[in-house]
Amino acid sequence: MIVFAAAKPSLIDINFGLMFWTLVTFVIVLVILKWKAFGPIQEMIDSRRKAIASDLDAAEQARTEAQAALAEYRQQLNESRREAARIVEDARRAMDEKRRSDLAELETDKQRQLERARAEIAAETRQSLAAIKAQVAELTVVATEKVLRAKLDEREQRRLIDEALSGVDLESLAPAETGPEAAGREQA
């Protein structure tokens, strides 16, 4: 049994032949791997690195474009808001101006109608006073004829009418006039 123990190699013994062939096998495998595997793997890694770099560049460019687009969008939004505010302000100004012009037109129309009404009232008053004067004259002639029991001629009638009416102030019966027409009549 001891004989078998001496023939059995140990794990810590140095065997130069085994070491040589292990190194030769390692170098052959290394050359084959470099020739067949490392080159294509390195090319694949390089192409992947280039693709990642180009993707990063594209992403950076897209981010820059997105920021530029966002800035442009914000600028357009601000311009749109300013334009909308300007349109609203213009509409408000136009509405105020239209309201002022409508009120001025209504006021002018009101003044025109008021002046026309005053003129109509004055004309009606003058007509009424003339009618009253004519009736008073007629009544005076009738009363005078009854008193005198005689018929008077036209000239005598006119003299008596003028005499009777000279003491009557018919203008005081008319309402007081206001406005520019009355001021013009008072000065005349």
Side-chain angles (χ1 to χ4, degrees):
M1 289 243 184
I2 294 188
V3 175
F4 283 118
K8 191 173 181 188
S10 101
L11 287 177
I12 54 171
D13 286 344
I14 298 178
N15 188 342
F16 290 106
L18 182 63
M19 198 186 286
F20 172 75
W21 288 113
T22 303
L23 279 175
V24 169
T25 306
F26 178 74
V27 169
I28 292 173
V29 169
L30 187 65
V31 169
I32 291 174
L33 284 176
K34 185 161 172 83
W35 176 48
K36 291 288 185 182
F38 290 155
I41 290 173
Q42 188 63 40
E43 286 176 14
M44 190 171 58
I45 289 173
D46 289 343
S47 69
R48 182 71 179 149
R49 183 179 294 131
K50 288 177 186 176
I52 289 172
S54 70
D55 287 348
L56 286 175
D57 290 342
E60 181 65 28
Q61 184 178 0
R63 186 180 67 81
T64 304
E65 289 173 1
Q67 285 178 343
L70 179 63
E72 183 180 341
Y73 168 75
R74 286 181 179 162
Q75 181 182 3
Q76 288 176 352
L77 183 62
N78 287 336
E79 288 175 10
S80 297
R81 285 181 180 158
R82 281 193 296 270
E83 181 70 16
R86 186 188 60 76
I87 289 171
V88 167
E89 186 60 32
D90 288 348
R92 186 176 295 128
R93 254 188 262 123
M95 181 185 67
D96 289 345
E97 185 176 315
K98 176 76 172 144
R99 184 177 16 192
R100 278 193 297 272
S101 69
D102 287 349
L103 286 175
E105 187 177 321
L106 285 173
E107 185 65 29
T108 304
D109 191 38
K110 181 180 89 171
Q111 289 299 326
R112 208 176 14 245
Q113 288 178 357
L114 187 61
E115 290 300 319
R116 188 174 62 229
R118 284 181 182 156
E120 288 175 3
I121 290 171
E124 289 291 325
T125 302
R126 282 192 298 277
Q127 286 177 353
S128 297
L129 288 176
I132 290 172
K133 188 175 183 180
Q135 285 180 353
V136 167
E138 180 96 14
L139 290 174
T140 304
V141 169
V142 171
T144 305
E145 282 180 359
K146 284 186 181 185
V147 169
L148 295 177
R149 300 260 183 238
K151 183 123 177 138
L152 299 175
D153 64 353
E154 182 73 30
R155 197 169 47 101
E156 186 63 25
Q157 286 179 359
R158 184 59 54 199
R159 186 188 66 75
L160 287 174
I161 290 170
D162 289 340
E163 219 175 85
L165 291 178
S166 65
V168 176
D169 184 18
L170 293 176
E171 292 296 323
S172 65
L173 298 176
E177 294 185 34
T178 59
E181 290 179 5
R185 275 195 228 114
E186 286 177 5
Q187 291 176 355

